[in-house]
Amino acid sequence: MPLAVPLGGRFDAGRARGLDGLLVCGGLTPAYQEALAGSGVGRWVRESGLPYAGFSAGAAVAARRAVVGGWLDGGTPVCPADSAEDLAEIEVRDGLGLVPFAMDVHAAQWGTLARLTAAVARFGLGHAVAVDENTLVEVGADGTARVAGLGRAHSVRPAADGDGSVRVRSHRAGESFAVR
């Protein structure tokens, strides 16, 4: 059952009562973040145990802290301007809080892994994951993320020495990694 939200509108979680799951698709990530974050849908999904799936913008906004776009880090290009989602500087905003790490999407296809590494360093994100297209990251209740599909999931964490650098580890289908 499609539950469309007009551009500039807010998602009404009350309209979704009685659903068996929630799928949030692709679109302009900042608009999805504005429509969903703060609407109560994240809390509702967590409390009800409702299955959530998202791709593209729907995956990005599932995070506690969502990387919603941008292509510049302090004026320096870090990814193609075409992947900026109508934003200049990288922006990290509140997401739905369904996964305990920040997310970026289209990593290999749009070159967004560099944006995510910059966001981890600049915004003090403790953990972030960039996902290639046609790739699934399933977060289990045991605190493990499992990777499936044709691409990779790239786990990005601050380096232990605290110098502002990051550590990247790429995982392919069948591999898993700790999220906490």
Side-chain angles (χ1 to χ4, degrees):
M1 174 172 78
L3 298 173
V5 178
L7 194 58
R10 278 246 192 250
F11 182 81
D12 176 9
R15 291 178 50 211
R17 301 286 183 223
L19 297 181
D20 295 322
L22 183 62
L23 169 65
V24 178
C25 302
L28 190 62
T29 305
Y32 276 59
Q33 184 274 335
E34 291 169 4
L36 294 169
S39 70
V41 70
R43 183 180 62 254
W44 171 64
V45 167
R46 284 189 307 277
E47 290 173 359
S48 69
L50 189 74
Y52 178 93
F55 65 84
S56 194
V61 300
R64 182 181 314 127
R65 298 289 292 150
V67 179
V68 296
W71 68 290
L72 302 171
D73 179 21
T76 301
V78 292
C79 67
D82 287 347
S83 40
E85 303 270 0
D86 292 342
L87 299 171
E89 288 291 324
I90 298 169
E91 287 194 30
V92 176
R93 301 178 185 171
D94 288 338
L96 297 176
L98 301 175
V99 294
F101 44 78
M103 292 278 305
D104 209 335
V105 293
H106 309 291
Q109 294 74 18
W110 290 11
T112 57
L113 177 56
R115 174 172 64 200
L116 190 65
T117 61
V120 167
R122 181 175 184 185
F123 294 96
L125 302 174
H127 185 203
V129 177
V131 181
D132 293 345
E133 292 177 4
N134 300 307
T135 306
L136 170 77
V137 175
E138 179 184 13
V139 180
D142 63 353
T144 301
R146 290 169 188 78
V147 180
L150 301 177
R152 291 181 171 262
H154 313 274
S155 176
V156 182
R157 298 177 192 262
D161 58 16
D163 68 353
S165 61
V166 299
R167 211 177 69 230
V168 179
R169 173 118 193 258
S170 293
H171 305 274
R172 66 176 146 246
E175 294 182 344
S176 60
F177 57 92
V179 297
R180 293 185 178 89

